[in-house]
Amino acid sequence: AEQIRIAIAGHGNLGRGVEASVAKNPDMRLVGIYTRRSPDQLTPRDSATPVYAMTELVNHTDDIDVLILCGGSKEDLPRQGPELAALFNTVDSFDTHARIPEYFDSVDAPARANKRTALISAGWDPGMFSINRIIGEALLPDGATYTFWGDGLSQGHSDAVRRIPGVAGAVQYTRPIKEAVDRVRNSERPTLTTREKHRRECFVVLEEGANAEAIRQAIVTMPHYFDEYDTTVNFISAEELARDHHAMVHGGFVIRSGNTSPETPQVIEYGLKLNSNPEFTASVLVAYARAVHRLNAMGQHGAITVFDVAPGLLSPKSAEELRREQL
Ligand code: NDP
């Protein structure tokens, strides 16, 4: 069969992850990386992969089956998503949860008008966790859903700490609180406050002469980011930060605790332990690119989400093979 021609729009952590993931899928090949920066600034994993200016995309609409959008959710995707969904089948990982309905609409109209398929908000959360939340609710309607994140490095919280004057470098880890997780796993169905579910831990490098205690206070009282959590702040050297805190670890679990009868509690759990958040997210995007290619060929146009994609469409195997091997 013909290989699916994949291209990448935006070459950050996620874009590099897509390169790695496509290399693991023999039914696909990477035909190009597109960037807003000067193409000669980028180093693709495989030096044979062509790198183009983003403005070249309009000339390549016949050469790409699915374009994977790897721009940031905050600044890039709100503009790139609608624009590129008019020209290509797309997959993205838009993760600003509150804005997903409006983003969906902004991508749906141009995709539909041009008979393209645009899958938005794939990844792990939103993405695989979202699927597991709706399956849990559907199978155990009398119950409660719990999402725990971590242990994981949060980019947004790390950035917030780095912006404090006197901070030279910082990372922030979100950690689920074990007692809370255990109670949920034991079918207690507790009502948990924000503080009871997760704690936060920061590793901070100070600028010369900075006041450690003042910075600790600025972190733990920061509204929205830290004030509702118990936060530990550790001061470390720049060498320690570089040596011990560069991996983009993340993960977590979705647990549905419910009763099928008054006397019968049941628990469903889905968990991820990721050594690279962007590489895993990219792997999800690549599997969904396969589904998008098929759905477009089947005539499903417009914006869709992970909820609209049957699991078999993610697999490189045929429906017949899957029935034989996996049922
Ligand atoms: P990056 O900041 O690494 O990359 C975003 C964009 O910035 C790139 O597409 C690239 O565009 C540009 N860029 C990257 N590096 C540089 C640089 N050195 N100088 C200038 N520009 C640069 O973000 P990530 O790849 O880590 O994440 C992208 C998005 O993925 C996040 O915003 C998040 O929303 C989403 N995400 C979703 C998850 C989910 O579960 N749904 C999980 C993890 C992430 P260009 O090449 O055009 O310059």
Side-chain angles (χ1 to χ4, degrees):
E2 292 262 304
Q3 282 179 310
I4 305 171
R5 298 167 301 171
I6 303 286
I8 294 170
H11 196 248
N13 299 308
L14 208 53
R16 284 190 292 273
V18 169
E19 285 186 81
S21 177
V22 170
K24 302 259 180 216
N25 287 281
D27 62 330
M28 303 179 175
R29 72 193 154 94
L30 186 60
V31 295
I33 299 170
Y34 294 79
T35 180
R36 290 162 298 180
R37 285 165 286 161
S38 163
D40 55 22
Q41 275 184 264
L42 303 193
T43 321
R45 270 176 189 272
D46 177 350
S47 57
T49 305
V51 182
Y52 304 100
M54 198 76 86
T55 48
E56 282 293 310
L57 271 172
V58 284
N59 304 318
H60 296 178
T61 50
D62 293 336
D63 311 326
I64 297 167
D65 294 314
V66 184
L67 181 64
I68 302 187
L69 310 187
C70 299
S73 291
K74 210 161 165 217
E75 307 287 346
D76 304 333
L77 294 176
R79 290 175 48 233
Q80 293 175 343
E83 236 173 80
L84 295 171
L87 301 172
F88 298 95
N89 298 319
T90 60
V91 176
D92 72 48
S93 68
F94 185 78
D95 71 352
T96 313
H97 293 260
R99 290 244 149 99
I100 288 174
E102 102 195 43
Y103 181 67
F104 182 94
D105 291 342
S106 77
V107 169
D108 186 51
R112 208 173 275 284
N114 293 283
K115 298 190 161 44
R116 303 291 183 181
T117 311
L119 186 129
I120 69 153
S121 300
W124 60 279
D125 197 0
M128 302 315 295
F129 274 15
S130 322
I131 292 174
N132 281 278
R133 284 189 285 260
I134 68 164
I135 291 178
E137 284 183 23
L139 304 190
L140 299 174
D142 169 17
T145 303
Y146 299 84
T147 303
F148 291 95
W149 293 278
D151 289 350
L153 189 146
S154 159
Q155 215 58 62
H157 286 78
S158 301
D159 288 344
V161 175
R162 283 185 210 117
R163 280 194 295 267
I164 297 173
V167 171
V171 290
Q172 191 271 182
Y173 295 94
T174 306
R175 308 205 192 275
I177 294 176
K178 193 179 174 302
E179 294 72 35
V181 179
D182 287 345
R183 290 180 65 196
V184 171
R185 286 181 175 147
N186 286 331
S187 298
E188 286 179 40
R189 244 195 260 180
T191 304
L192 298 167
T193 63
T194 302
R195 195 179 297 277
E196 287 169 326
K197 284 180 74 184
H198 298 96
R199 62 193 177 83
R200 300 197 178 279
E201 186 165 12
C202 304
F203 292 86
V204 176
V205 180
L206 293 174
E207 279 174 5
E208 200 143 306
N211 179 334
E213 182 49 28
I215 285 174
R216 197 190 71 79
Q217 276 301 322
I219 295 172
V220 302
T221 59
M222 194 186 296
H224 310 302
Y225 284 90
F226 292 101
D227 62 344
E228 290 174 35
Y229 300 85
D230 290 330
T231 303
T232 317
V233 181
N234 309 288
F235 295 102
I236 60 172
S237 69
E239 293 70 41
E240 287 170 308
L241 184 74
R243 187 190 66 209
D244 303 333
H245 300 284
H246 57 86
M248 298 175 88
V249 298
H250 221 313
F253 7 86
V254 172
I255 305 174
R256 179 70 176 178
S257 166
N259 277 59
T260 43
S261 66
E263 62 281 6
T264 314
Q266 320 261 20
V267 174
I268 308 172
E269 179 164 343
Y270 177 79
L272 294 173
K273 192 166 176 353
L274 307 176
N275 280 312
S276 166
N277 176 3
E279 283 191 19
F280 180 76
T281 303
S283 299
V284 178
L285 299 184
V286 166
Y288 276 93
R290 179 182 293 119
V292 160
H293 182 59
R294 290 169 171 169
L295 286 167
N296 185 260
M298 290 155 68
Q300 175 152 355
H301 303 143
I304 55 172
T305 73
V306 293
F307 299 151
D308 306 310
V309 177
L313 295 175
L314 299 172
S315 171
K317 294 180 177 172
S318 70
E320 194 278 329
E321 280 177 289
L322 290 175
R323 282 194 295 275
R324 191 152 27 84
E325 293 174 11
Q326 307 288 351
L327 284 179

